[in-house]
Amino acid sequence: MIKKKYFSIVFISSFLFLFSCQKNELLQNVNFDNSLLNKVNINAEKKAINILYETTFNEPYIDHVMEVTPTIRIFNWLENNINNFGTENYIIIDIQNASIIREEINREITVAGVIKKKNDYVYKLNFDVLYVLYDDNNQVLATAKSNVFRSTTSSKFISLNERNKILDNLTFNSLKDLSNKSSEVLKKHMSEYIL
């Protein structure tokens, strides 16, 4: 009876050790290339981009830890891919939100009848951009708003380099979503001013 218990403990311990030694998925560095994202041409003489989102340096917000923040990524995309042309009207683009928050989640995993607690992080990114097109008399011609939410999880115990890669991947995928959504809502709400 004691041998069976000993064998069971050794077997479960070995299984847990092998399970914990699984190869982690290695993330590649992200190449932020705005030419891969949608472009929109708007009939407006002037374009202004306002950053209304203010970075928060308190938990759970973590976008400030990134080398290049999501706010700057959105600004660069808007600057390069939302093109204006013509001799009348002007468009104002407000970056209202570009936050990433990190929350801890606790999960229980059952392995070979043994309950193992696992602590992970979930990263949630929110992008909100408002487009307002005015005529030369400051009358609003059209408005469109683009909202994007995306999240991902990771182990709690990862290197800073892996965390940065996860945040960059999350930002780039969200920026692709924002690019697609913005193109869609601008064509819907400003179709007569889009080329």
Side-chain angles (χ1 to χ4, degrees):
M1 180 78 160
I2 294 176
K3 287 183 179 182
K4 285 184 180 181
K5 285 184 181 179
Y6 177 76
F7 178 74
S8 296
I9 291 172
V10 169
F11 176 75
I12 292 172
S13 298
S14 299
F15 183 77
L16 289 175
F17 175 76
L18 291 174
F19 181 76
S20 67
C21 293
Q22 288 183 7
K23 181 180 177 185
N24 289 335
E25 178 183 336
L26 296 177
L27 294 173
Q28 300 296 320
N29 288 332
V30 177
N31 179 19
F32 283 91
D33 183 0
N34 287 328
S35 67
L36 301 174
L37 304 173
N38 288 333
K39 292 184 180 187
V40 178
N41 297 311
I42 298 177
N43 184 4
E45 182 179 8
K46 299 175 191 168
K47 173 178 75 172
I49 303 170
N50 301 320
I51 300 174
L52 303 180
Y53 172 70
E54 294 183 20
T55 302
T56 304
F57 295 97
N58 298 325
E59 290 286 335
Y61 295 92
I62 63 163
D63 41 284
H64 62 278
V65 303
M66 299 176 69
E67 189 174 327
V68 180
T69 65
T71 305
I72 300 302
R73 298 287 186 201
I74 294 176
F75 182 86
N76 290 338
W77 172 72
L78 291 169
E79 186 68 33
N80 295 323
N81 293 45
I82 304 295
N83 302 310
N84 57 305
F85 68 93
T87 58
E88 58 184 15
N89 306 331
Y90 64 97
I91 185 161
I92 295 182
I93 305 169
D94 294 334
I95 302 172
Q96 297 179 328
N97 192 355
S99 64
I100 300 178
I101 62 171
R102 178 181 68 190
E103 297 174 345
E104 187 173 339
I105 53 174
N106 299 313
R107 297 187 289 175
E108 291 185 354
I109 299 172
T110 304
V111 179
V114 176
I115 297 175
K116 180 182 175 186
K117 290 189 177 185
K118 185 174 182 188
N119 295 337
D120 289 335
Y121 281 135
V122 60
Y123 299 95
K124 299 176 182 177
L125 185 142
N126 285 299
F127 282 159
D128 292 324
V129 178
L130 177 66
Y131 304 88
V132 183
L133 184 66
Y134 294 89
D135 67 12
D136 292 335
N137 296 320
N138 290 333
Q139 299 295 316
V140 174
L141 296 173
T143 63
K145 187 165 187 172
S146 184
N147 303 351
V148 171
F149 173 80
R150 189 179 267 263
S151 66
T152 189
T153 59
S154 79
S155 174
K156 184 176 178 180
F157 304 104
I158 57 173
S159 69
L160 292 177
N161 187 42
E162 280 299 304
R163 182 207 61 194
N164 293 341
K165 287 181 182 180
I166 289 169
L167 293 177
D168 281 346
N169 272 290
L170 179 62
T171 302
F172 185 68
N173 289 327
S174 298
L175 194 55
K176 284 196 293 190
D177 293 346
L178 180 67
S179 167
N180 294 333
K181 181 77 172 185
S182 293
S183 180
E184 176 186 320
V185 297
L186 287 170
K187 287 177 182 171
K188 179 178 179 182
H189 297 287
M190 298 185 186
S191 59
E192 59 191 277
Y193 306 102
I194 301 291
L195 180 65

